[in-house]
Amino acid sequence: MTIDVLLTGFEPFAGAAGNESWAAVSRAAPRLRQRGARVAEVELPVEFGRAGDLLEQAVREHRPQLVIALGLAAGRSAITPERVALNVRDARIPDNAGASPVDEPVVEGGPVGYFTGLPIKAMVSALDAERIPGSVSQTAGTYVCNDVFYRLQHLLASDEALAGIRGGFVHVPSADVVDAATAAEALVAMVDAAQGTVVDLARSGGAEH
Ligand code: PCA
């Protein structure tokens, strides 16, 4: 089946009861459906390798036009569309299967990094318009979120059958910073912005460090 949007979030990790990324996806998907969009959502395991395998499977199955993968970044103070995925795994804490890779590539022989395929400046502008805190992030880290982000960009860049699919990654902060209802509203606004933007805005999303 061909769909418009594939959204993914993660299961809980590091002993938490829930994961804000999945809370946002599971609340936003029915709202997008209500407005006529064809949406698929997948909850990914916090496991190096397997999470990317499942995302790849979902992209091949659904052939969406747009893929937005979400993850939790506790400690951040805004919703942060990610600029770049890196070809490295470096776990500070074990993943949910107990794996702690250090300085391993996500994809052996793959390029050092990929830029997002999402119009992240337009997405941040859309968050501004909703008065939801948002900013561009320059790195998705080196844990499972970056793993999934890199796998997604590598897949979309290397398989011609998937040409034209736009995808990328967004970190959401913990619920005490942005609550679940607001994170879902933010996700709907970011989907709208991504669908409505062909050439990204030339506004600054830079940082000195
Ligand atoms: N956040 C972690 C992995 C799963 C999640 O929600 C990360 O930022 O890598």
Side-chain angles (χ1 to χ4, degrees):
M1 191 185 69
T2 303
I3 60 158
D4 301 314
V5 190
L6 172 64
L7 299 174
T8 71
F10 279 101
E11 67 181 5
F13 68 109
N19 187 313
E20 284 83 339
S21 64
W22 179 244
V25 167
S26 55
R27 281 169 177 254
R31 287 182 47 187
L32 290 162
R33 253 180 227 116
Q34 256 169 24
R35 303 181 341 180
R38 293 164 299 176
V39 181
E41 65 270 53
V42 180
E43 184 181 16
L44 296 174
V46 180
E47 290 179 37
F48 285 101
R50 200 162 82 86
D53 292 345
L54 292 172
L55 176 58
E56 176 168 344
Q57 224 174 65
V59 171
R60 292 190 186 287
E61 181 188 338
H62 296 295
R63 300 291 169 118
Q65 291 165 1
L66 180 68
V67 185
I68 303 185
L70 275 83
L72 167 67
R76 284 199 187 164
S77 52
I79 304 224
T80 44
E82 297 290 347
R83 191 192 291 267
V84 62
L86 292 177
N87 192 12
V88 65
R89 296 173 169 171
D90 194 344
R92 190 181 55 79
I93 53 171
D95 73 6
N96 284 358
S100 298
V102 172
D103 295 350
E104 292 176 10
V106 177
V107 174
E108 194 74 51
V112 66
Y114 286 103
F115 286 118
T116 185
L118 299 177
I120 53 176
K121 307 291 184 67
M123 289 161 65
V124 169
S125 274
L127 297 175
D128 287 352
E130 302 283 331
R131 299 187 185 286
I132 297 170
S135 58
V136 168
S137 163
Q138 319 302 338
T139 172
T142 57
Y143 193 52
V144 180
C145 288
N146 175 72
D147 211 61
V148 156
F149 184 20
Y150 187 93
R151 285 285 300 278
L152 175 63
Q153 303 314 124
H154 186 69
L155 175 70
L156 298 181
S158 51
D159 188 336
E160 277 177 25
L162 305 174
I165 300 178
R166 294 189 299 161
F169 198 94
V170 176
H171 267 116
V172 296
S174 52
D176 54 331
V177 177
V178 173
D179 64 35
T182 307
E185 196 186 315
L187 182 50
V188 170
M190 290 188 288
V191 167
D192 281 347
Q195 286 179 323
T197 307
V198 179
V199 178
D200 200 4
L201 303 180
R203 65 172 258 174
S204 172
E208 284 72 59
H209 50 80

